[in-house]
Amino acid sequence: MKVEMMKNNIRSLAKIVFATMVILGAYVAMCITGNGETLKVMTGVIEKCAVLGGKSAEAYSHATIKTSSGSYLISSVSSCSAGRDVNIFVKRGILYFNTIYVAEIM
């Protein structure tokens, strides 16, 4: 009786481990194929430029951008100056469900 119970428990555990591996495999496949995919392109205008971590050894410059839809986002832009038009690329991140915003000056 106990041996049969142990066999059933081992079979159930094996099924759970197999199902978990299949789900993780599907997620990894989605992440690899979707990495860097451009979802959409928006336009915007740089509202202001600022520096993050100004007192630290590595300061990061960033821009506050107002998109054509009226929402705001913060992105790193090379040679930042207020009033310049930018293209904003909305891309899929490495974890598939996260989103990355990349801004380029027009």
Side-chain angles (χ1 to χ4, degrees), residues 21-35 94 96:
M21 296 302 280
V22 168
I23 291 169
L24 285 174
Y27 181 71
V28 167
M30 283 184 355
C31 289
I32 290 172
T33 58
N35 184 21
I94 187 85
Y96 191 78

Side-chain angles (χ1 to χ4, degrees), residues 67-79:
T67 65
S68 55
S69 63
S71 61
Y72 287 88
L73 63 97
I74 296 174
S75 180
S76 176
V77 178
S78 61
S79 58

Side-chain angles (χ1 to χ4, degrees), residues 33-100:
T33 58
N35 184 21
E37 171 188 3
T38 301
L39 302 174
K40 68 179 179 177
V41 179
M42 302 185 296
T43 58
V45 177
I46 296 176
E47 291 281 314
K48 66 178 181 176
C49 300
V51 176
L52 291 173
K55 294 182 180 179
S56 69
E58 294 183 37
Y60 297 102
S61 62
H62 72 281
T64 302
I65 302 169
K66 184 174 184 180
T67 65
S68 55
S69 63
S71 61
Y72 287 88
L73 63 97
I74 296 174
S75 180
S76 176
V77 178
S78 61
S79 58
C80 181
S81 62
R84 295 185 74 178
D85 293 328
V86 291
N87 283 328
I88 305 158
F89 299 95
V90 182
K91 296 186 172 206
R92 188 178 311 282
I94 187 85
L95 297 177
Y96 191 78
F97 296 110
N98 64 335
T99 306
I100 299 170

